[in-house]
Amino acid sequence: MTVVAPLIGVLALAAVSAAGARIGLTTLFCVVIPYAAILVFLIGVVWRVLSWARRPTPFNITTTCGQQHSLRWIQSSPLENPHTRLGVIGRVLLEVLLFRSLFRNVKHEFVSRENAAPRLAYKASPWLWLGALAFHYSFLVVFVRHYRFFSEPTPRSLQIVEMLDGFFQIGSPTIFVSGFVLLAAATFLLLRRLLLPQLRYISLPVDYFPLFLVIGIALTGILMRYTAFRTDTAAVKNLCIGLMQFKPPAATEPIGAIFFVHLTLVSCLFAYLPYSKLSHMMGVWLSPTRNLIGASRMRRHINPWNYPVAVHTYEEYENEWRDKMKAAGIPVDKE
Amino acid sequence: MADIQLPPPEELAKVSFQPRPQGWMDPCVEFRPGTWSYAGKPKALETVGMPNPREWSPTDADWKLPENWKEIILQGLRERLDKYRSLKVFLDICVRCGACADKCHFFIGSGDPKNMPVLRAELLRSVYRNDFTLAGKLLGKMVGARELTMDVVKEWFYYFYQCTECRRCSVFCPYGIDQAELTMIGRELLNLVGININWVMEPVAKCYMTGNHMGIPPHALKDNLEFFADDIENITGVRVDVPINKKGADVLFVVPSGDVMADPGIYTLMGYMMLLHESGLNYTWSTYASEGGNFGLFTSHEMIKRLNAKIYAEAKRLGVKWILGGECGHMWRVLHQYMDTLNGPADFLEVPVSPITGTRFEHARSTKMIHIAEFTADLIYHGKLKLDPSRNNAYKVTFHDSCNPARAMGLFEEPRYVIRNVCNHFYEMPENTIREQTFCCGGGAGLGNDENMEMRMRGGLPRGNAVRFVHERYGVNLLTAMCAIDRAVLTTLMEYWVPEVKVSGLHELVGNALVMKGEKKRELNLRSEPLNEGSEDTSD
Ligand code: HEM
Ligand code: SF4
Ligand code: SF4
C-alpha cells in the first residue's frame, strides 16, 4: 500500500492528462492547471515561510560541530561553530549548496570476533550525499534549461549552461546529461527506500509520491526530446511565452499527449511542494540549530516570551537552615 | 533497588536490526524490565507544584491521568507550536532520508527501529499531522497521521525516556533536526498530565529545596568539603582552605553536586580544591547555589529557569565579580545556551578576568561564567602552574567528550590541552566516536538509574566499544570525562563492557600532577593509591 498508492496516484494523474489531450482539453491542461499550480505554489511558499518566520526562536540551540571560540591561542572552527554572522551565513550556505551535514554520514557495522563481543566499525557512507547532490543539481540544471521555452532569443548565459550540459554531443539532438542524471538519481533514491529495510520501515506514501512524480517528469521529458514522441517545440515555446505574457494563445496547435502528462506532473510537483516535506527547500534556511550564532555566552539571546517563575529564594533557604548553618560556622544574612 | 538480570556482554552485543513486519504506525510498547524508569513519586511533584501527583507505574494498565488528558496534551502542543520555531520547523521538514537513523546510540545498541531519531520524532509528528495539518485531517494514515491515543502516550513515554537528549542525530541531519529538542518538548507535554520518571523528579525537587540534586544540606556540604581538605592534607601535606558563602570573594564556584558525594567524582572535586588554592583565586563555594546541574532540562523549559535562577541570585548576593563552573555536561548546556536568556542579563557582574594571568574571557562577556577547563588551560598556557605529569604515569588516558560540552558548546581543545600537560600517555578514541561525533554514556537525561540498566548498557555499547578499542590497542586504563553523570554511569558501563578501565574527571589528573607550594614528597595519588616508583623526577 505504502508504495503502490502513490504510484497509482501518479499514474492516474498521467492517465487523466493524456485523456485530456485526446479529447482536446487544451485550455484546461495547458492554461488553467499550470496557472493554478503556480498560484498555489507561490501562496504556499509565502504562507509556509511566514508560518515559520513569525514564530520566535526562544533559545540559542546551535548544534556546535567544531571548536568554540574561546581562548585566543586556540583555533576555533568558524564554519562548524560560528561565532560571527558571516560564519553563520557560511555555515548555512555550506548546508544548502554542498549538503555539509549529509556529507558526514557514516555507517556502523558489527564485526564479529571469536570469544568476545563484536566490534563496532564505522565506514564513511557518501552514497546518500552523492545521490542527493546529483538529484538536486540535475534538477536545478533541468529547471534552468527550461527557460529556453520562455525567452526569445535564448539568452547567452543559458546557452553556456546548455553547452556544458550538452558536453557529450552525439549527433542530433544534443544529449543533455542533466535529464538522465535526474532520472538516475531519483531512481537511486527510490531504490534506497525500497531496498534498505530500515528506510523502507520509516517511509510513508508521501515519501514515494514526489519520487514517482519526479521520475515521471524526467521520463516524459526524455521521451519528448529523444524518441518518437518528439514534440513540436515551436508550439510549446509559443504556449509558454503566451503564458508568461498572460496572453495564452487562443487556439494552440495540437501538442502531443506526452506533453500534457509532463506539464501536469510538473504542475502537481510545484503545487505540492510548499505543503509537504519538500518545503525543506525553505526550511533548511530557518533551522535554529544551524542558523544561530554559536557564541551564546558572548551575546545574550533574547526570548520574547520569557516570563517570571516561582523560585526558592535564598531568604527562604536560609530560614529553613539558619540554625544548622550557624552551628556549622557558615555565614548567614540574618543572625 | 531494581535488580536487573543482564545477559553477558557478548550476548547483549548481538543486536538484531530486522524491523518488525508490521509498520510503526500501530502503537506498541512492551515494558520489559531493564528498559524503562520508575514513575515520579507524588511527593517530589508536590514539592515543585507539578500536575497530577500520584502513585503509579508504567506497567499499570491505568496511568490515572486526568479525564481530559488528551485535550491538555493537544492544547500544550498547540501552545508550544507557537512558542518554538524549532518545533514547527522540525515537525514540518523531515524528508525521512534516514541519515540520522544509525547515529543514535540507543538504536545501535538495541536495534529497535523506534530508537532511530527519525522515528522517535515521527511518534510526535504523527500526532501533529493528525490534529494540526490539513493533509493529516483529510488523508490520515496516507500522510502518516495518527490519533493521540493512550497507547501513543505510552509509546511517547517509553521512547522519550530512551533518548538522552545527546544531539548526536542533529549533527548528521541535513537540516539540523534535533531530536533532543523534540524529546524535551515531548517530555514537557507528558509532564502536563503528570507523566515523568522519578530519577528526574527527585533531583528536581531536591535541587529546588536544598540547592542541589543530592539534597545535601549546608552543614553537610561544609563537612564534606572539610573532609576532602583533610584528605588533601594527608596526601600533599598542604592545607587548602574551604571558603563557603563568603561575601567579598571575587568568584563564585559552582559544580555538579554528584562530585561531592560519589566516587570517583570526589577526586575531581579534590583536584578543583587544590587547583583553586594553588592559583590563589579569591573564590567561594555556595551552599545555596550548590548545584550547577539542572534536571529542569529533562523536565520543562520553565523548570530549567526555576532551578537555574539561584546561580545569578547567589552571585549577586555574595557580590562576586564572575562565576566559574566545574566539570559537568548538561549543566553546561544550561549555562551556555539557556542561563543568560532565562535569568540574565547579568549586568551586576563583570566580564571574567583571570587575576592570575590577566586573560579577559571575552567569549563569556555576556553570561559572565567560564568553564574550569578554560580557566585551567589558560593558567597552564601562561606557565602559572607547576606540573609533574609523570605522577599520572600509571594511567593510559583516553578522553570522552561529554555530549553537551561537545555539541552545545564546542569545548574540545581546552580539556585536551590540559590532559596533554598533566599526563604523559594520552590516546584518542576513533574519530567517529569523539568530539562532535561523540557517543553518549547511555545514562544522561535522567536515564542513569538502576532499573533502566539494560537500556543503559545498550545505549552505552558504542562508547564501550570505542574504549575497548583503545584499551586493546594502547592499553588504555583510564577514561577521563568532564561530566558528573559520566563519572557515575560510565563507571558502571566500564564494569560491564571493559572492566579493565577506570573512570576519572579531568581535574583529578590535574590534582595529581599539580606541584603545590610547600607540599611533601607525594607518595599517593588522589585515590590514595601509591604512585609509580620513580615517577617523582620532574619532567616538565
Ligand atoms: C536547498 C537546500 C536543499 C537541501 C539541503 C535538500 C536536501 C534534500 C535531501 C537530503 C533529500 C533526501 C533524499 C532522500 O529522500 O533520500 C531531499 C529530497 C528531495 N528534495 Fe531536496 N534539498 C534542498 C532543496 C530542494 C529543492 C530546491 C527542491 C526543489 C524541488 C528539492 C526537492 C526535493 C525532492 C523532490 C526530494 C525528494 C526525494 C525523496 O523523496 O527521496 N529539494 N532533499
Ligand atoms: S536526517 Fe533529518 S531529514 Fe533525514 S530522516 Fe533524520 S531527521 Fe529526517
Ligand atoms: S538526541 Fe541522542 S539519544 Fe536522542 S534520538 Fe538523537 S541521538 Fe538518540
Side-chain angles (χ1 to χ4, degrees), chain B residues 186-261:
Chain B
R187 288 185 182 189
E188 207 168 302
L189 294 174
L190 291 174
N191 267 306
L192 295 176
V193 292
I195 300 173
N196 39 43
I197 65 171
N198 202 47
W199 202 255
V200 170
M201 291 324 298
E202 234 10 87
V204 162
K206 282 186 179 153
C207 197
Y208 191 68
M209 294 309 291
T210 59
N212 60 72
H213 292 158
M214 300 283 156
I216 312 166
H219 48 292
L221 180 66
K222 182 170 182 194
D223 278 354
N224 280 18
L225 295 178
E226 299 283 359
F227 177 80
F228 297 133
D230 294 344
D231 271 1
I232 293 171
E233 190 169 8
N234 288 340
I235 295 166
T236 67
V238 177
R239 182 77 201 175
V240 303
D241 35 64
V242 184
I244 295 180
N245 294 8
K246 176 175 143 191
K247 290 197 177 170
D250 290 340
V251 172
L252 169 64
F253 184 42
V254 179
V255 302
S257 67
D259 287 347
V260 181
M261 300 288 272

Side-chain angles (χ1 to χ4, degrees), chain A residues 202, chain B residues 93-101 118 125 169 172-175 177:
Chain A
I202 61 176
Chain B
I93 66 174
C94 169
V95 295
R96 282 163 299 283
C97 67
C100 59
V118 46
R125 197 176 278 127
C169 45
F172 294 89
C173 172
Y175 320 119
I177 294 175

Side-chain angles (χ1 to χ4, degrees), chain B residues 426-446:
Chain B
F426 172 50
Y427 304 92
E428 291 275 19
M429 285 180 274
E431 69 171 331
N432 293 312
T433 68
I434 54 169
R435 297 181 187 255
E436 74 276 8
Q437 301 196 22
T438 189
F439 273 109
C440 182
C441 59

Side-chain angles (χ1 to χ4, degrees), chain A residues 170-208:
Chain A
I170 317 164
S172 173
T174 309
I175 306 257
F176 288 135
V177 184
S178 52
F180 293 95
V181 175
L182 178 62
L183 185 61
T187 309
F188 166 74
L189 292 177
L190 177 66
L191 289 178
R192 241 185 111 244
R193 265 190 207 290
L194 289 171
L195 299 180
L196 302 181
Q198 259 78 28
L199 211 64
R200 195 183 166 116
Y201 193 73
I202 61 176
S203 294
L204 296 168
V206 283
D207 295 320
Y208 294 103

